[in-house]
Amino acid sequence: MSLFDGLRLGVRELRGVTRGTRDAVDAGTRVVVVGGGIAGVSAACVLAERGVLVTLLEQQDYLGGRAGAWTEHLPDETPFQMGRGFHGYFRHFYNLRGLLRRVDPALERLKPLSDYPILGPDGSMESLEGLPTTSPLNLLALLRRTRAISLRDLRGIDAATAQLMLRFDQRKTYERHDHRSARELLDTLHFPERGRQMLYDVFAQSFFHPEDGMSAAETLMRFHFFFLGNPEGLVFDVLDEPPSDALWKPMERYLRGLGVDVRLGCKLEHVEQVSLGQWRAHTNAGRLEAEGLVLAVTVPALQAIFEASVDLRADPDLDGAIRALGVSLPFGVWRLFFDRSANPDRPPFASTSGMGLLDQISLYERFEGESRRWSMRTGGSVVELHGYACPNDDQAAIRAELRQCLDELYPELAGAEPLHGSWSFSRDCPSFGPGSHAKRPRVATPFGNVVLAGDFVKLPFPTAMMERAAASGMLAANHLLDRWDVRGESLYAIPGRGLTGGSPIGE
């Protein structure tokens, strides 16, 4: 592995890391993993590597979940891989990168981006290139560089509220601030409107939440996770080919090589408890029995499974926690194959702020091989536009606004003719609203041999997005392995406290 400046989570510091003494389970131990996204695949890998007979159920005909890709065709029948949006593999996503190393030991498929500028109205731009990776030097360098905040603005910031960012504590921050919204936090901070728009909104929107729909504690955690507590810096890596080719097809081969029964196009309908240590999974293709069950699906899918499974609803606290989970606002992803190229000085990826519903612009031919080959044949650009936290479901209006904002920021594409367009509009990402943390389910459940995994679960260390999914999947596998006295996977995380206070993880 690469250098870990983060904290290694020991067996005494984190519930869910196993205390086993054996390397493998008894022969014939079976687990059903429901969901073939990052969380489910992480769990399946850890379990199968230790001898568990894993059946992995995935409703779609491809692995990867929200990070996966599927085949579509251009008008000339040329196939291409479409996904649900651009994914940045940050360098402190230690557990996710550990998963990727199963099929790419040197992480050769990940290519670094030197910058992802933030574009605003009237030509304004903020660069994140070259910032120090050590906190608080990174924050000081950003404040010195930015034109969105003046020295006079800094003098008006509320010092007590600003210290909350430096004094993040995994337990205390949620206890004291989860009931508040991010809007309340930022209003109290007295952050100048322009700085708030350019340096906060761009990150908040990528979590699919408006300010009043996001917990203040979750906001503080993510600021700590991505910036102040992150020893690797804000720059991230991208896959050099579509995720299906670079990651998920090799991962499927790896899992099958371990003996995993990968069942694509297989939907779990409901489960029932056969006995104290046995569960039966009913699918659209038959029944399965196992000694363990990993539910690693989206929030809507999990709620549907619980609604259809009387035995899962037997514990009222768990049932209430699942029912209380929410989803964030919908997001749209529009990939356009233009008949002309964007200017050569345009970055491969840019975030936007103050540009209506447009939040990100990606030029796929600048980093992905499949799109680069199409661009070389045609002279065009493969442009993907993201609209996060869309306030309504008027998809035609959303696309019109995305195109209008693109034309304003990249005028060389104004009037360009799309040779093809693919549109994805979804609403299944978990919400982290004010007051939700205390009710959020953990990996472990009262059933013992039923565990949860996904980016919606409550974890005892700072994490988010794809990294939360990977870590939760590994912890879910570890929890089951602990029942069978088998050593689990080592996990890594950044420290669970800020620079000027807080207590270590597990204290």
Side-chain angles (χ1 to χ4, degrees):
M1 288 186 174
S2 61
L3 179 64
F4 284 97
D5 291 329
L7 172 68
R8 190 179 188 279
L9 302 179
V11 296
R12 294 186 180 135
E13 295 172 325
L14 178 62
R15 182 188 302 177
V17 173
T18 60
R19 302 167 177 83
T21 61
R22 301 189 299 159
D23 292 327
V25 300
D26 294 336
T29 303
R30 296 181 178 275
V31 171
V32 172
V33 177
V34 186
I38 291 173
V41 168
S42 297
C45 282
V46 172
L47 291 167
E49 288 163 355
R50 289 152 180 84
V52 177
L53 300 176
V54 176
T55 301
L56 177 61
L57 309 180
E58 169 51 51
Q59 181 177 349
Q60 302 297 331
D61 59 2
Y62 57 90
L63 292 180
R66 279 173 279 154
W70 59 90
T71 302
E72 294 191 7
H73 291 83
L74 298 173
D76 63 1
E77 298 304 319
T78 300
F80 72 95
Q81 299 298 303
M82 178 62 184
R84 288 179 52 174
F86 176 95
H87 294 283
Y89 293 80
F90 287 87
R91 294 166 193 171
H92 68 309
F93 283 11
Y94 300 127
N95 302 300
L96 176 63
R97 293 166 85 92
L99 175 68
L100 268 59
R101 288 181 188 276
R102 262 82 170 178
V103 296
D104 183 12
L107 298 182
E108 295 175 333
R109 308 311 301 267
L110 291 180
K111 305 301 180 184
L113 291 184
S114 61
D115 192 15
Y116 56 105
I118 304 169
L119 309 179
D122 304 321
S124 59
M125 191 267 285
E126 296 287 340
S127 172
L128 300 175
E129 184 176 12
L131 289 175
T133 59
T134 304
S135 183
L137 298 180
N138 52 1
L139 178 60
L140 295 174
L142 179 62
L143 292 175
R144 182 178 180 180
R145 173 190 299 180
T146 181
R147 290 173 290 179
I149 304 175
S150 67
L151 181 60
R152 182 176 180 180
D153 292 329
L154 290 175
R155 291 173 181 156
I157 289 177
D158 182 76
T161 305
Q163 285 186 23
L164 295 177
M165 299 181 179
L166 300 175
R167 295 179 60 85
F168 174 79
D169 177 275
Q170 182 67 26
R171 177 177 58 84
K172 295 177 182 177
T173 297
Y174 279 99
E175 288 178 351
R176 297 173 182 175
H177 302 288
D178 191 58
H179 67 284
R180 305 169 63 196
S181 71
R183 183 181 299 279
E184 292 177 66
L185 174 73
L186 293 169
D187 286 346
T188 305
L189 183 62
H190 302 311
F191 211 58
E193 187 63 30
R194 186 61 181 150
R196 181 164 166 171
Q197 184 183 70
M198 290 294 290
L199 300 180
Y200 171 79
D201 286 0
V202 62
F203 297 106
Q205 291 294 88
S206 66
F207 304 142
F208 315 117
H209 289 75
E211 290 178 358
D212 55 1
M214 184 82 161
S215 154
E218 189 74 14
T219 301
L220 290 167
M221 184 278 289
R222 296 190 185 212
F223 187 80
H224 172 77
F225 177 66
F226 281 103
F227 195 54
L228 285 181
N230 172 12
E232 309 290 351
L234 274 174
V235 176
F236 55 75
D237 303 325
V238 296
L239 291 172
D240 63 352
E241 291 288 347
S244 52
D245 297 333
L247 174 56
W248 296 114
K249 290 178 182 177
M251 186 63 73
E252 182 180 348
R253 293 192 292 270
Y254 175 77
L255 289 170
R256 293 189 188 277
L258 291 172
V260 176
D261 181 5
V262 180
R263 301 190 181 187
L264 301 178
C266 188
K267 179 181 180 181
L268 177 69
E269 295 174 342
H270 69 278
V271 301
E272 62 176 319
Q273 191 170 25
V274 179
S275 62
L276 186 61
Q278 197 84 3
W279 287 84
R280 180 178 295 140
H282 295 259
T283 78
N284 60 347
R287 301 184 301 180
L288 299 163
E289 291 195 11
E291 291 77 50
L293 185 64
V294 181
L295 300 178
V297 294
T298 64
V299 167
L302 182 66
Q303 290 171 333
I305 291 170
F306 266 71
E307 183 64 28
S309 305
V310 175
D311 292 339
L312 286 179
R313 301 203 310 272
D315 186 275
D317 291 336
L318 177 61
D319 185 46
I322 299 302
R323 290 177 182 272
L325 291 171
V327 294
S328 61
L329 292 175
F331 66 98
V333 174
W334 197 13
R335 191 177 299 185
L336 297 165
F337 293 74
F338 282 118
D339 62 353
R340 70 182 72 162
S341 179
N343 286 346
D345 60 344
R346 298 296 186 194
F349 170 82
S351 294
T352 70
S353 182
M355 298 302 300
L357 294 179
L358 179 62
D359 292 301
Q360 290 180 359
I361 305 172
S362 303
L363 302 179
Y364 266 65
E365 74 273 11
R366 307 285 167 93
F367 60 85
E368 186 185 86
E370 179 184 71
S371 295
R372 183 181 303 113
R373 292 186 288 273
W374 181 87
S375 178
M376 292 175 65
R377 290 196 308 270
T378 66
S381 270
V382 183
V383 181
E384 190 169 272
L385 309 177
H386 294 184
Y388 298 139
C390 296
N392 57 62
D393 295 336
D394 188 343
Q395 298 181 46
I398 293 169
R399 288 194 295 270
E401 184 168 338
L402 294 179
R403 180 64 197 270
Q404 179 182 349
C405 293
L406 172 68
D407 291 350
E408 181 179 341
L409 289 171
Y410 291 9
E412 70 272 18
L413 293 178
E417 183 68 26
L419 304 177
H420 180 71
S422 288
W423 171 251
S424 171
F425 192 72
S426 309
R427 189 178 187 182
D428 56 8
C429 292
S431 67
F432 296 88
S436 64
H437 184 75
K439 298 176 286 187
R440 191 171 299 279
R442 302 177 185 273
V443 166
T445 74
F447 297 105
N449 60 347
V450 177
V451 288
L452 306 177
D455 56 354
F456 62 88
V457 298
K458 183 193 304 186
L459 296 183
F461 51 90
T463 184
M465 301 172 72
M466 293 191 294
E467 175 68 355
R468 190 195 295 251
S472 69
M474 293 174 180
L475 287 173
N478 284 356
H479 183 82
L480 293 178
L481 292 170
D482 193 44
R483 297 172 58 85
W484 303 315
D485 192 31
V486 174
R487 282 182 287 270
E489 187 82 358
S490 294
L491 286 103
Y492 297 84
I494 67 170
R497 60 179 176 178
L499 293 171
T500 63
S503 54
I505 295 174
E507 202 174 275

